[in-house]
Amino acid sequence: MSTTDQPWEFPNSSSNRTSNPSRNSSSHPREAVEVVSSAQANFLRDFKRFDTVDDFSDHHYASKGKASKQHSKTWVKKVQADWKILENDLPETISVRACESRMDLMRAVIIGAEGTPYHDGLFFFDIHFPDTYPSVPPMVHYHSGGLRINPNLYNCGKVCLSLLGTWNGNTREQWLPRESTMLQLLVSIQALILNQKPYFNEPVNDMYMWTPSGETHSKFYSENVFVLSLKTMVYSMRNPPKHFEEFVLKAANAYIDGTPVGSIVKESRETSSVNFRIEVAVFMKTVVDEFVKLGVKELEDILEPPPPLIHTNSSR
């Protein structure tokens, strides 16, 4: 099956997509994902992509240091350089908050891109710069809510990526103290991990890419991932990370109508499984209820009952 046959193909991605991001993280920044829906555009313009805050008491790595800690000149220079790069060059779908009183702490949110099963999802990461940074990579913790949405994102919060030293890779795939940056790391997580076919991130599955069996398994894996992404969104709404409380997006509803996972075009030749459509329709009620609790009243009446399950030979 060619790349153009994929209804949920990433619009800006190369046909030679790098699989197994844990093994193939590039040593140079990848092209940032800038595809956003029109519904997101105004909100994203109103929310600063990079800003500094005074307190990170809920940060995963808060106990690893204190405000009075003195860091080396090399450490401070590198962190300040990362701040500057992020302030100037963050893509529209990534926002970052750094802490003025604890420069070793940072928090980022990545919006799942169209064309992926992470479409419009919010994925939060806590970052810590160790004392030996940049000789060693930052430490990164994913806010999983106890859910495993990707082979590279564990439910314990571990992020598996060569650039972080949490997966073996060749020299150019690992953290390079004089070259690697926080921007590169965040873009790598978005492009390499939160991609359109996360099933193939698992090394053992890579050999089945483009085979009928592999594509079938990938499709159903992605359907499950999308449902888990909705559950992750609800977790984030119920437990919003500090300084991102206002960062709430309206959930996409097109999937209920049968659009394939992560599809960008409604007129795709391939449809999602009926069971998936029902599961999304049912859980979207929970998602909308959470939005309504947050004051988004216009969403109260947007959902229709899930489609009936018709048992036919073509139901899948």
Side-chain angles (χ1 to χ4, degrees), residues 8-53:
W8 50 76
E9 182 60 25
F10 216 3
N12 285 343
S13 63
S14 166
S15 59
N16 297 319
R17 182 183 68 84
T18 301
S19 62
N20 296 334
S22 55
R23 297 184 296 172
N24 295 295
S25 58
S26 171
S27 60
H28 299 287
R30 291 179 169 265
E31 181 178 354
V33 177
E34 288 285 5
V35 181
V36 295
S37 62
S38 58
Q40 295 175 354
N42 291 336
F43 173 83
L44 291 173
R45 277 196 294 268
D46 293 338
F47 193 88
K48 276 188 172 184
R49 297 185 201 175
F50 179 86
D51 204 358
T52 55
V53 298

Side-chain angles (χ1 to χ4, degrees), residues 26-271:
S26 171
S27 60
H28 299 287
R30 291 179 169 265
E31 181 178 354
V33 177
E34 288 285 5
V35 181
V36 295
S37 62
S38 58
Q40 295 175 354
N42 291 336
F43 173 83
L44 291 173
R45 277 196 294 268
D46 293 338
F47 193 88
K48 276 188 172 184
R49 297 185 201 175
F50 179 86
D51 204 358
T52 55
V53 298
D54 295 325
D55 173 59
F56 258 146
S57 55
D58 68 332
H59 199 282
H60 180 76
Y61 297 109
S63 63
K64 283 192 170 292
K66 52 187 178 181
S68 59
K69 184 176 180 63
Q70 296 295 313
H71 294 281
S72 68
K73 291 182 179 179
T74 300
W75 186 96
V76 173
K77 183 178 179 180
K78 173 58 175 173
V79 173
Q80 289 178 335
D82 278 320
W83 284 18
K84 192 67 174 177
I85 293 171
L86 294 172
E87 185 176 15
N88 294 329
D89 300 327
L90 272 173
E92 195 169 26
T93 48
I94 301 177
S95 292
V96 170
R97 295 295 178 264
C99 189
E100 290 185 325
S101 60
R102 286 285 305 276
M103 288 181 64
D104 61 310
L105 302 181
M106 184 178 285
R107 174 168 288 160
V109 60
I110 297 175
I111 301 174
E114 293 185 37
T116 76
Y118 305 101
H119 184 184
D120 281 352
L122 303 180
F123 306 97
F124 290 92
F125 299 85
D126 281 0
I127 298 126
H128 168 65
F129 300 107
D131 292 343
T132 52
Y133 183 75
S135 295
V136 299
M139 300 174 67
V140 179
H141 174 83
Y142 165 60
H143 289 230
S144 71
L147 302 172
R148 183 79 181 270
I149 65 167
N150 189 287
N152 298 76
L153 299 176
Y154 289 70
N155 53 10
C156 64
K158 178 182 177 180
V159 180
C160 193
L161 195 66
S162 299
L163 198 56
L164 290 173
T166 49
W167 183 270
N168 294 327
N170 64 47
T171 301
R172 297 301 301 177
E173 294 170 355
Q174 297 175 353
W175 181 266
L176 303 175
R178 296 187 178 184
E179 299 180 23
S180 302
T181 67
M182 267 309 304
L183 175 63
Q184 174 198 351
L185 176 57
L186 293 173
V187 170
S188 293
I189 291 173
Q190 184 183 55
L192 292 175
I193 295 180
L194 301 174
N195 60 42
Q196 71 266 37
K197 292 185 179 182
Y199 175 78
F200 297 112
N201 286 6
E202 191 67 58
V204 71
N205 298 332
D206 188 41
M207 68 180 73
Y208 301 109
M209 182 175 284
W210 309 125
T211 67
S213 174
E215 293 303 314
T216 297
H217 282 91
S218 176
K219 172 186 173 181
F220 290 114
Y221 183 89
S222 290
E223 289 183 347
N224 183 58
V225 163
F226 182 77
V227 174
L228 291 177
S229 293
L230 292 179
K231 294 180 179 181
T232 299
M233 182 182 295
V234 170
Y235 170 79
S236 295
M237 286 189 284
R238 291 174 176 171
N239 306 275
K242 200 172 183 65
H243 307 298
F244 283 93
E245 292 88 349
E246 66 175 290
F247 201 92
V248 178
L249 300 176
K250 295 181 179 180
N253 197 42
Y255 297 91
I256 297 175
D257 298 327
T259 304
V261 175
S263 178
I264 313 169
V265 289
K266 191 79 167 174
E267 298 80 11
S268 172
R269 292 175 305 218
E270 186 176 341
T271 58

Side-chain angles (χ1 to χ4, degrees), residues 223 272-281 309 311 315-316:
E223 289 183 347
S272 302
S273 65
V274 174
N275 288 338
F276 167 72
R277 294 170 60 187
I278 291 174
E279 190 170 4
V280 171
L309 179 58
H311 294 281
S315 63
R316 293 177 72 90

